Amino acid sequence: MAGPIRYGDGHINAPEKDRANIHPMQHHVSRSTRGKIMGERAGFRGCTIWFTGYSGAGKSTLAFALEDYLCSKGIPAYVLDGDNIRHGLNSNLGFSPEDREENIRRVAEVARLFADSGVVCITSFISPYLKDRESARKVHEKDGLKFLEIFVDAPLAVCEERDVKGLYKKARAGLIKGFTGIDQIYEPPANPDLNMKTAEFGIDESIQQIVTKLEEHGIVPDHAIDSIKELFIPAEHLDSAKAEAASLKTLSIDKVDLQWVQVLSEGWATPLTGFMREAEYLQSLHFNSAGNGRATSQSVPIVLAASTADKERLHGEKAITLVHSGKPVAILRNPEFYEHRKEERCARTFGTTHAGHPYIKMIMDSGDWLVGGDLEVFERIRWNDGLDQYRLKPNELRKKFTELGADAVFAFQLRNPIHNGHALLMSDTRRQLLEQGYKNPTLLLHPLGGWTKDDDVPLDVRMAQHHAVLEAGILDPKSTVLAIFPSPMLYAGPTEVQWHAKARMATGANFYIVGRDPAGMPHPETKKDLYNMFHGAKVLELSPGLQKLSIIPFREASYNTKNKQMEFFDATRKEEFDNISGTKMRKLARDGEQPPSGFMGDAAWKILADHYQSKK
């Protein structure tokens, strides 16, 4: 009996009479069903992204970076890399034209299976021949699967100069035969879906170009793109928008509402496009997330309350003008009114409904309805308090870090004055990052600048105190960016700390320092901590949507009475340490007493003491 026909190096082609007895089976699970269960974002996204180009063009670098990026956004992706495949599935193939053809045929079939399963399959192969790549496309398109060819367009001279694997040198010396670009042709795509010039763009910028292309093809949602969504009206449309606003019915908002308008308009809560409608509110309240699926963290609802009278007056309007202190600040498009279930909101956000909690009291005193809609903001919110220059938007901070050449950004959120223990933690974090190989890790010193409770230190005092810390060199001013985070404070503990971390990701921060009892406060009645002091750090490690942010847990720093300085607590020498609590610090300041030497810089302490003295 005649055996199977072989060609190339080991490919087996079943005889026609045998293939007649092979019948493809149909899956019981539909693509729609796979789309619902795979990954954190609803919808079928199976496709193949085919990178082609010379050796050394950057195909594998882009492929693995894209895989990492998509997975971080909750989108399942997997790379089939040329070198990896030739160590396994295609280890029996060489580099003759016939074997190259068979190599790509096999990979195309495997990629099709990955794509059909709902995975974004990313292939990285030189794949030098047009007909082979076109065959790979047809394999997908006949099954209704998307296939995007991306030409990694680096000139041969650039690839040869890079020569990461030393292959061009060997090929030039005649040690490698049939090497693409040297003694074997490469047929560039005539009309690729995307042309990536890796000699001109960095990895991050290249990945965003690719993700934008994927969004255009409906493969990823728009908020998978790592861009900040600002909600300001373009300058060329501002006059007409203001004219329209003058003709609309109005809704008055208070100072805290305006702070949330600032948060939304500057892009801190991307992908939100305005105050939450009911579906967005429920997703945030129950799943701590926003957007299509659950991969974008949004642990606190950002909502706008309205009275019953306002709801009845404005119901059915297509647009509303939001007014603060008589001044129009934004248009709310397609408003949706829904019931403000205050007790449920508080119970889920704060873990308590106690009316003695200051933010809960504000909620309970607010309107019985919530109104959501798309925001169009006339201009940047300014407070004219001498601190507006520190209120940098996420996009401005990203630009600042790029200008500084920061290769890592670590953020520290605070609403209290900085003592030398805080400074020790921040300086030690920078030391650790340098040891990990980063060249210029930069600190984002980011005090919260929105509403805080009455007994907290005011923002202007805190900013002056922070400046004194920097001027004294307790923190390195050259590697520190001091800016203001405009959000109001909720005092919602582990729920709120996820919001604080997510917002810093918008700035490009990739490390986040979390302290003890972040966003916590004493219980209004018992005066015990409302939240476990370590749960904030633990929750950040577990939180969906924050995978790209490395969490740096708080190390306890106490005053060493022997060395007269703040040091990390050592239980083996616990008798040397004195824990100077916030309560004790405030008492010393009010009483006009000096703290122990080395606890806080002299100028920084004077600013704090003067504040408390003025309140007597």
Side-chain angles (χ1 to χ4, degrees), residues 48-317:
T48 289
I49 313 300
W50 192 282
F51 287 104
T52 178
Y54 286 116
S55 176
K59 300 182 302 300
S60 294
T61 299
L62 286 177
F64 285 111
L66 179 61
E67 177 190 51
D68 180 44
Y69 183 88
L70 292 177
C71 287
S72 76
K73 300 294 183 181
I75 298 170
Y78 192 84
V79 171
L80 301 177
D81 181 72
D83 284 1
N84 293 349
I85 292 292
R86 282 187 174 274
H87 274 87
L89 176 66
N90 292 349
S91 60
N92 64 329
L93 297 179
F95 292 90
S96 67
E98 296 80 11
D99 281 7
R100 285 177 179 268
E101 179 182 348
E102 173 60 10
N103 181 50
I104 298 307
R105 189 195 70 80
R106 293 183 191 178
V107 169
E109 292 290 352
V110 172
R112 179 185 64 82
L113 294 175
F114 270 82
D116 189 48
S117 76
V119 171
V120 176
C121 185
I122 306 164
T123 70
S124 172
F125 292 82
I126 293 173
S127 44
Y129 305 130
L130 284 167
K131 65 179 180 62
D132 294 344
R133 299 195 299 270
E134 189 57 32
S135 294
R137 181 186 293 275
K138 288 179 179 177
V139 163
H140 287 75
E141 291 181 347
K142 74 179 176 63
D143 276 2
L145 294 166
K146 292 182 179 179
F147 180 96
L148 299 183
E149 182 182 41
I150 299 181
F151 180 28
V152 185
D153 186 6
L156 179 61
V158 172
C159 297
E160 191 166 356
E161 184 180 348
R162 291 172 177 168
D163 202 12
V164 178
K165 302 172 186 176
L167 300 179
Y168 283 99
K169 185 176 181 181
K170 291 180 180 179
R172 290 292 186 190
L175 300 176
I176 299 177
K177 300 297 184 183
F179 192 79
T180 304
I182 303 302
D183 56 357
Q184 197 166 80
I185 64 167
Y186 176 81
E187 298 172 348
N191 188 29
D193 294 286
L194 190 61
N195 191 311
M196 299 300 306
K197 295 187 179 294
T198 55
E200 299 177 14
F201 300 103
I203 294 175
D204 290 343
E205 189 172 359
S206 297
I207 293 301
Q208 291 310 308
Q209 291 181 40
I210 296 168
V211 175
T212 299
K213 178 61 66 173
L214 298 185
E215 188 271 329
E216 290 173 3
H217 283 265
I219 296 168
V220 301
D222 58 358
H223 47 269
I225 302 171
D226 189 20
S227 61
I228 301 305
K229 187 183 290 292
E230 294 186 0
L231 307 180
F232 298 108
I233 297 169
E236 61 271 23
H237 302 307
L238 192 55
D239 288 343
S240 61
K242 287 184 176 180
E244 179 190 3
S247 69
L248 299 173
K249 292 183 179 180
T250 63
L251 177 64
S252 292
I253 62 175
D254 63 21
K255 184 176 181 179
V256 174
D257 294 331
L258 186 61
Q259 290 172 357
W260 285 120
V261 169
Q262 181 174 10
V263 166
L264 290 164
S265 64
E266 293 181 357
W268 297 97
T270 298
L272 294 183
T273 58
F275 285 107
M276 290 176 172
R277 295 184 172 91
E278 188 172 33
E280 295 170 312
Y281 169 70
L282 292 174
Q283 185 179 355
S284 173
L285 197 65
H286 291 270
F287 300 108
N288 287 4
S289 63
N292 181 14
R294 300 180 203 160
T296 301
S297 177
Q298 186 58 54
S299 60
V300 301
I302 301 180
V303 291
L304 180 61
S307 68
T308 299
D310 282 330
K311 183 252 185 185
E312 292 176 351
R313 179 174 58 86
L314 299 170
H315 185 71
E317 295 294 319

Side-chain angles (χ1 to χ4, degrees), residues 457-525:
V457 178
L459 177 62
D460 60 337
V461 177
R462 286 185 279 131
M463 288 296 289
Q465 196 266 355
H466 300 345
H467 269 292
V469 169
L470 289 166
E471 289 168 1
I474 297 168
L475 286 173
D476 178 16
K478 293 181 180 178
S479 61
T480 301
V481 173
L482 175 61
I484 294 172
F485 177 45
S487 175
M489 189 75 197
L490 277 72
Y491 305 94
T495 297
E496 185 177 6
V497 76
Q498 295 172 71
W499 156 239
H500 292 167
K502 172 258 176 75
R504 277 28 182 257
M505 289 176 66
T507 71
N510 40 14
F511 296 90
Y512 185 79
I513 302 173
V514 58
R516 288 182 304 174
D517 195 23
M521 62 168 281
H523 189 281
E525 241 174 68

